[in-house]
Amino acid sequence: MVTVVTQLVHCFHRSCRYGQYTMNQESTTKATEKPPFDRSSSQDSLDEMSMEDYWTELENIKKSSENRQAQEVVVVKVPDEGELEEEWLKEAGLSNLFGESAEDPQESMVFLSTLTRTQAAAVQRRVETVSQTLRKKNKQYHIPDVRDIFAQQTESKEKAPDGPELQAVRTIENKYQEKDDQASCLTVSDKELILPVPEDTPASVTDINLEVSFAEQAFSQKDSAKDKAQKTKGNDASLPSFRLPKDKTGTTKVGDLAPQDMKKVCNLALIELTALYEVLGVEMKQQKAVKIKTRDSGLFGVPLTVLLEQDQRRVPGTRIPFIFQKLISRIEEGGLETEGLLRIPGAATRIKNLCQELEAKFYEGTFNWESVKQHDAASLLKLFIRELPQPLLSVEYLKAFQAVQNLPMKKQQLQALNLLVILLPDANRDTLKALLEFLQRVIDNKEKNKMTVMNVAMVMAPNLFMCHALGLKSGEQREFVMAAGTANIMHLLIKYQKLLWTIPKFIVNQVRKQNTESHKKDKKPMKKLLKKMAYDREKYEKQDKSTNDADVPQGVIRVQAPHLSKVSMAIQLTEELKASDVLARFLSQESGVAQTLKKGEVFLYEIGGNIGERCLDEDTYMQDLYQLNPNAEWVIKSKLS
């Protein structure tokens, strides 16, 4: 097997040399012809052709780095025993299960009560490890007994090892028929490398289930998935076309929730991701970057947060660095039909000079963008991504992104990527979104620019996954494994980007449950004075409400729109009434120009009750949502207000 691997690696490197593009495009009239592989002779020849762009890009990166100044390498800290688990619990919002605040972990108890079985198991394993570590270190503060924390979950497991939760998973899963989503595989040692499947292959359509925990789905399908993998191993299959089934209570996207609820979403996403990896037997190790001194101004090699602080001083509310936006804009100005766009590099010396000039003149507004050729702009964009002090996919989760390739089914890989996107810092997530949308626009012109989703994935993968700041070094075999795996992940990120910014419904429901339980808990310890104040206020509100109830009969909601001409309206709920219908009624009251300006700028919000604040998508059925959250208020406003 080792001999086969070595031969494959050498074969890939030979194909690189045959198809190499020169670094100096000025002296090149056309790209070097690709080697005459016989695609019909074997699947391996197809794999060699598909990987060629990756190795070419890698070679270009290595050459361009020779002309750049040495950058500081981020030191990734190797955690001590129990330290990783302790950090994980903190990021999951469960730090008060241990340490000085462990005497009163009521808030965490509310959180734990909303977890699924697989989520609770993931938390329990880490609490046990931290507890053992703290006992070894003779920490003085209180160390809770894990059996007390998880008594309820343990008891339910003993009574019903295949209980109602798992049965519910299986019942809902029956709605989502399983498709064979095994991609074409190449075996290296004991690993399966899943290479991207050409996008012109006929694709099946599969609904992605967001109603049930991903880890619970994986647990219930584990045995059948193994059988299926064995039956289909070695066969070519299409990359599934996943879609979101319509949810009558509305689809929730990243950016639709208030910060306090989004924090809870991130806590749950980390636990769910960990549970999913553990159910499927995939190791997920988070990394922690030791803080190092980075540039506090400039463009290249500057942290995203610093860039955004610079830009927000000029334009408040900026979410994507100006230089990133401008480079994409410059590429598009040259036309996305250009053959070899993103693949053909600019001249290395010219790129170096442009970087220096941009650093000096960009913010002064004196830089001459007309002097930047299209391929140079593309090279600068990729350089910007590579030279971020910490990778765009973040130090903490870069390995978790790479580990996605080890998940057995395409659906599970998509689910993991969905959770990872949610976990990214805001600046990273917003910049990644802008990048993926741009890459899709490039692919939309593939008939002319010859850049298919596979080509683009191959070119961009080393730029996102081989961060210079981490000082990644690898042998040929590991490099080959990384090449196939990361190219596949890049392919998934591009192809399924419209799904990845969706917050799964089961997580939103868990947040609703947490909020409901927190409201109940907050009411219990009231003192007498507070009780009296609450009673008096409630009495007054009841009197006020009884007056208003005459205006709002049963089956009617009151919608507020403080920034529109019609500031309030009573809306009769019907089975077919959607959020878009409510908006249309208010906007119809605006004058012609104002109506045009407001459309697409204002949204209907669900506020209070069991959610902090949630922006509704246009296809939300209001009666169904009202039944889910009858105590909510309904307000029309812009996302910035």
Side-chain angles (χ1 to χ4, degrees), residues 520-528 530-531:
K520 290 179 183 177
K521 180 181 75 71
D522 291 341
K523 291 177 182 178
K524 291 180 181 178
M526 283 186 176
K527 294 180 180 179
K528 288 183 179 181
L530 293 177
K531 281 184 178 180

Side-chain angles (χ1 to χ4, degrees), residues 218-231:
F219 187 86
S220 67
Q221 298 163 0
K222 203 171 179 183
D223 294 333
S224 61
K226 282 181 181 177
D227 294 339
K228 186 185 295 183
Q230 288 172 356
K231 289 176 185 176

Side-chain angles (χ1 to χ4, degrees), residues 557 559-560 564 569 571-573 577-588 604 618 620 622 634 636:
I557 58 172
V559 181
Q560 308 293 335
L564 298 181
M569 191 184 295
I571 304 285
Q572 176 70 52
L573 293 174
L577 182 73
K578 295 182 180 181
S580 58
D581 300 324
V582 176
L583 282 168
R585 292 189 195 182
F586 274 89
L587 292 175
S588 66
L604 179 59
E618 292 187 340
T620 302
M622 297 305 298
W634 313 96
I636 293 175

Side-chain angles (χ1 to χ4, degrees), residues 61 65 68-74 292 300-302 382-391 398 462-473:
I61 290 171
S65 64
R68 297 288 291 163
Q69 293 180 348
Q71 301 274 333
E72 274 203 83
V73 174
V74 175
I292 61 169
F300 295 89
V302 179
K382 292 186 287 185
L383 181 67
F384 173 86
I385 294 168
R386 291 197 308 274
E387 292 208 345
L388 287 171
Q390 295 191 16
L398 185 63
N463 290 283
L464 263 74
F465 286 93
M466 297 193 70
C467 178
H468 81 89
L470 296 180
L472 296 176
K473 293 182 180 179

